[in-house]
Amino acid sequence: MSGYTQTRGALPTVRRLILYILLFALVSIAASGTSQLLGLIITPASGNDSGRTTGLALALAFVLIAGPLTFVLWRSLAKRLLDSEENSAPAWALYMAAMYVTSLIVASTAMFSLLGNLLLDHTDGWQSKLSTALIWAGVWWWQVRIIKDSRRTPRTLPQLSGILSSWYGLVLAAVATVSALTALFSATVGLLIPNAWVGTPWWLEVLSQLPWILGGLLLWWWHWIQQRVAKIHGGFSDVAYILMGILAAGAMMLGGTGYLLYLVIRLLWHQPTAPLLTPIPLALAGALVGSVIFTYSWSALSQRSAETKNAARLVTSGLGLAAGASGLGVCVNALLAALVPPLAGDRGGDLLLAGVVWLLWGAGLWVWAWQPGRKADAHDRRVYLVVVFGLSAVVALVALLIIGFKVFTFLLESNGLFSGLIDAIRAPFGLLVATALVSIYHFVIWRADREVLETTTSPTGKSHTKILLVASGDTSELRTVLAKATGAKVQVIPRSGEEYMATSEGLLAAIGSIPEDSRHIMLLVEGPGSIRVIELAE
Amino acid sequence: MGHRTAVKNRTPLIILGITVLLVLTALVLVLVRGAVATPDPRSPEGVVQSYLTAALAGDQKQATALLTPQTSKDCPVGNVINPESMRVVLVSSITAGNTATVEVSITNTSASSPLDLGNSGYTDTFTLVKQQDSWSIKTLPWSLLACETETEVQP
């Protein structure tokens, strides 16, 4: 029962922490020393000898001191790790993830930049890059072998390395694709307006990004598909999925498409000149890559739990809300700008265009994800509402402070014009109006939710504080059902054996049969359809 | 409970109505009132406005004509002002005898993300001197420099 080992004080944790940090440092130093040594060996000696001797001395010091120490430390740790208490410690899992991801990042960036440089025909320093890539790839391969070794593989958080590496590969490929597409589209835009470019021609830029794109995709594919990271659901995997696949990709998609819309519509009013056209390729590339990742992540949500789907919907509506609210703020900003005629320059048309574009686009996304007026589960939205209130409060506070500062500056200086004051506060005032409207709407929702929560906390009419459920199989859905039905804290102790799975109807029926005043109960599944209710002492 | 649900159902519509109203007002104001200010062209603010209009339109000859001879000699050539998104608003104007100080606020509109819109602005001052009954600009913000005369390249 490895889940129940008690730690005997802080000593084992501190010992593990120190030893693993030491091991990480030693492995990194030995690896960088070896790679530098290898790089110097294969570099032909040129006239610059002083730099070479210093580098050689450093590399030799690293290798000859850190190398044997790593070996000794690893031998002693490896023996300890055969013990199940050691290899289920979180410190071991964290060390493995850190070492795995670090070696992967160093090796992959060295390899891809080497390939990119070779494609561009820049061959200086290829030896050091090649040796870095090879040595750190060796370290990574060593970590892979440890993970595959079933006696020593970390038992808590076993998938951490896989999850982090798959997202790293995807980010790498995405950024490189955006750069390549930007270069390609800039060349297309350059056909419309003749402007002399300096630097590398577009096909070379695209070519140099190719190793990064293919390499990133390869890393992502190897972890996501081959190592079946995609099949891991729950816990950190879902959090990472929402953060990267929904939030980050959604922000890129929203930002790219909104900016693109603004730039394109703006072209209808002005002459297409170079400053107006140059941002378009980047916006288009960002929009395309972001949409691809976002739509794929959204459609693949169907394989995940209902909680994750709900969280994804809330995150998307949050993105739309942020964009729409700022758009509204900018519209108010443009309103005030139109009231104050400037001495020269822009009269506020572009500003209003930007505001309207962001408002419509953000509000559209928000309506699609949030579906206002729909009956929703009050429990799931609480965190979201609290976050919205918190952020609105911070933004409104900052805006108020800026407005106050400008107003007092105006009042204390005797020469200011009132129109100058209006112009100075138009931006924070717009934000203030937008956050006020957002807060009012969500406050109404919050109040309605609270009424719903108060009247439906316990449909069974009883309130228990703690429920202990002993059952086998996948109990996460049962846990949520129990928690919602009784409002109690549910703790699950997994039971071995396959025939002790419970159903939610059986559980609710069992709860209905216990006396009113028990606050701490245990539901023990004794067989299919048979649940025993045990009252525990306080 | 019926009254409550009625109130709850109307608030989003009220907010929607306010939003639409604000946007429409902004549209109307921008399209109708979007003229530039018209100060007296012989006053310090008027001179600054003429300079800015000429500089933003790319007419560097006319712009340099409004600077004092010393200033136009010291001014580096080749500064290009991006007229697309710049907006200059008068903040204050103080005249004292033969010198005047005009403070303006300069903002650049950029819309690259919804979170950094129209907020990059700062205030700076023009100082003018009265020479032969007309105002000339003596010092001005470096970002609004638009000069035509070549500066001598010192070996």
Side-chain angles (χ1 to χ4, degrees):
Chain A
M1 294 269 275
S2 58
Y4 267 129
T5 15
Q6 302 286 326
T7 46
R8 292 175 290 272
L11 179 61
T13 321
V14 173
R15 169 178 53 81
R16 280 184 212 122
L17 206 58
I18 293 182
L19 284 179
Y20 291 137
I21 291 179
L22 203 55
L23 183 63
F24 184 86
L26 281 176
V27 171
S28 308
I29 295 175
S32 56
T34 318
S35 70
Q36 194 167 353
L37 192 59
L38 185 61
L40 283 172
I41 289 176
I42 58 182
T43 316
S46 63
N48 186 7
D49 267 329
S50 65
R52 195 185 165 85
T53 28
T54 331
L56 205 53
L58 190 69
L60 283 172
F62 278 1
V63 173
L64 294 177
I65 298 178
L69 285 177
T70 318
F71 186 69
V72 165
L73 185 58
W74 174 244
R75 285 262 70 125
S76 80
L77 278 177
K79 258 199 300 248
R80 285 191 97 120
L81 281 169
L82 294 174
D83 172 26
S84 76
E85 188 187 321
E86 285 294 310
N87 65 28
S88 49
W92 172 232
L94 288 175
Y95 161 78
M96 276 306 298
M99 198 73 241
Y100 186 99
V101 172
T102 312
S103 54
L104 186 66
I105 291 180
V106 175
S108 57
T109 41
M111 179 55 83
F112 301 152
S113 68
L114 174 68
L115 289 175
N117 280 349
L118 285 180
L119 285 171
L120 284 179
D121 226 9
H122 297 159
T123 46
D124 319 323
W126 68 270
Q127 295 95 345
S128 69
K129 282 211 166 65
L130 183 64
S131 52
T132 313
L134 286 176
I135 301 293
W136 282 93
V139 174
W140 173 73
W141 184 243
W142 177 39
Q143 307 304 313
V144 172
R145 280 191 47 210
I146 297 179
I147 293 184
K148 292 230 164 50
D149 174 8
S150 57
R151 298 169 303 164
R152 295 205 182 91
T153 182
R155 295 199 196 282
T156 49
L157 314 171
Q159 315 294 351
L160 190 57
S161 349
I163 298 173
L164 290 173
S165 314
S166 57
W167 286 112
Y168 163 70
L170 194 62
V171 165
L172 215 58
V175 171
T177 314
V178 167
S179 310
L181 285 178
T182 312
L184 181 62
F185 295 146
S186 299
T188 326
V189 162
L191 293 174
L192 296 173
I193 35 156
N195 57 342
W197 43 255
V198 284
T200 46
W202 67 271
W203 60 90
L204 276 184
E205 273 188 48
V206 173
L207 208 57
S208 71
Q209 298 295 332
L210 223 45
W212 296 89
I213 302 177
L214 295 175
L217 280 179
L218 183 67
L219 285 178
W220 171 78
W221 174 81
W222 193 74
H223 289 98
W224 195 251
I225 311 285
Q226 274 290 82
Q227 304 291 95
R228 290 190 281 277
V229 171
K231 300 276 192 298
I232 306 168
H233 296 321
F236 183 69
S237 156
D238 279 349
V239 169
Y241 190 85
I242 301 255
L243 271 181
M244 303 296 300
I246 304 286
L247 184 61
M252 194 153 78
M253 174 187 79
L254 188 66
T257 38
Y259 193 31
L260 187 66
L261 272 174
Y262 165 72
L263 289 171
V264 165
I265 298 181
R266 195 169 66 155
L267 277 179
L268 299 174
W269 267 273
H270 301 284
Q271 296 279 27
T273 57
L276 284 183
L277 288 174
T278 12
I280 291 188
L282 181 61
L284 183 57
L288 286 174
V289 172
S291 335
V292 165
I293 302 181
F294 180 79
T295 41
Y296 171 70
S297 305
W298 189 266
S299 61
L301 269 181
S302 54
Q303 300 159 6
R304 305 223 167 206
S305 70
E307 270 177 0
T308 316
K309 279 190 254 203
N310 197 39
R313 232 171 20 84
L314 288 176
V315 163
T316 315
S317 79
L319 273 178
L321 185 69
S326 342
L328 179 62
V330 171
C331 284
V332 174
N333 186 346
L335 199 163
L336 291 176
L339 288 174
V340 176
L343 268 189
D346 178 35
R347 297 162 329 184
D350 278 357
L351 199 59
L352 183 61
L353 177 66
V356 169
V357 165
W358 284 119
L359 174 64
L360 291 177
W361 188 227
L365 188 65
W366 177 74
V367 166
W368 174 72
W370 175 260
Q371 288 148 18
R374 136 196 84 94
K375 271 198 172 306
D377 196 343
H379 265 279
D380 303 330
R381 302 204 285 205
R382 279 181 303 178
V383 175
Y384 175 78
L385 290 175
V386 169
V387 168
V388 167
F389 283 140
L391 283 179
S392 316
V394 169
V395 170
L397 179 66
V398 172
L400 269 176
L401 285 173
I402 297 179
I403 293 179
F405 167 64
K406 300 277 183 195
V407 166
F408 283 120
T409 315
F410 169 72
L411 289 176
L412 290 175
E413 268 180 21
S414 48
N415 285 308
L417 295 169
F418 189 63
S419 55
L421 173 67
I422 302 280
D423 195 70
I425 65 169
R426 58 188 166 94
F429 189 75
L431 274 181
L432 201 58
V433 168
T435 48
L437 290 178
V438 163
S439 305
I440 294 175
Y441 175 77
H442 287 93
F443 181 70
V444 169
I445 302 266
W446 164 263
R447 228 179 29 183
D449 276 2
R450 225 166 44 145
E451 283 174 14
V452 167
L453 281 179
E454 272 163 18
T455 51
T456 61
T457 12
S458 37
T460 57
K462 306 185 210 261
S463 53
H464 316 288
T465 33
K466 266 201 198 170
I467 297 182
L468 205 61
L469 174 65
V470 182
S472 63
D474 179 17
T475 46
S476 47
E477 299 276 351
L478 297 174
R479 194 179 173 154
T480 8
V481 165
L482 265 184
K484 273 200 214 127
T486 61
K489 264 172 56 174
V490 179
Q491 187 184 349
V492 170
I493 301 178
R495 187 169 178 173
S496 58
E498 287 305 315
E499 62 272 16
Y500 302 109
M501 311 226 280
T503 59
S504 31
E505 300 85 18
L507 288 176
L508 289 173
I511 294 179
S513 68
I514 46 178
E516 285 269 352
D517 51 359
S518 56
R519 321 252 315 147
H520 200 169
I521 54 175
M522 170 191 275
L523 297 173
L524 178 64
V525 180
E526 290 187 318
S530 134
I531 301 178
R532 189 161 151 204
V533 177
I534 304 174
E535 253 184 85
L536 299 173
E538 288 295 317
Chain B
M1 203 55 190
H3 173 67
R4 278 276 179 78
T5 41
V7 168
K8 184 188 77 174
N9 284 338
R10 266 193 280 143
T11 314
L13 286 179
I14 297 177
I15 294 182
L16 185 65
I18 295 177
T19 309
V20 170
L21 193 66
L22 283 173
V23 174
L24 285 179
T25 319
L27 260 172
V28 166
L29 281 178
V30 167
L31 292 176
V32 166
R33 267 202 65 162
V36 290
T38 47
D40 180 8
R42 283 168 309 158
S43 67
E45 309 90 72
V47 170
V48 170
Q49 185 184 38
S50 316
Y51 170 78
L52 287 172
T53 326
L56 288 179
D59 190 352
Q60 303 197 324
K61 205 178 177 69
Q62 185 139 356
T64 335
L66 291 164
L67 304 175
T68 59
Q70 181 67 30
T71 316
S72 57
K73 200 159 54 125
D74 292 338
C75 168
V77 77
N79 188 29
V80 175
I81 309 176
N82 179 8
E84 300 301 346
S85 50
M86 189 178 285
R87 176 189 156 93
V88 182
V89 171
L90 181 67
V91 175
S92 70
S93 165
I94 312 168
T95 314
N98 274 349
T99 50
T101 312
V102 172
E103 191 177 351
V104 295
S105 122
I106 305 162
T107 40
N108 269 305
T109 317
S110 65
S112 48
S113 87
L115 300 172
D116 89 322
L117 282 166
N119 270 346
S120 53
Y122 56 98
T123 54
D124 215 330
T125 43
F126 287 76
T127 53
L128 302 98
V129 286
K130 196 159 189 171
Q131 295 173 338
Q132 288 109 31
D133 216 21
S134 69
W135 292 96
S136 304
I137 300 176
K138 192 166 116 186
T139 66
L140 62 160
W142 67 268
S143 57
L144 296 174
L145 284 169
C147 311
E148 194 202 30
T149 52
E150 300 275 321
T151 47
E152 313 273 319
V153 177
Q154 306 289 344

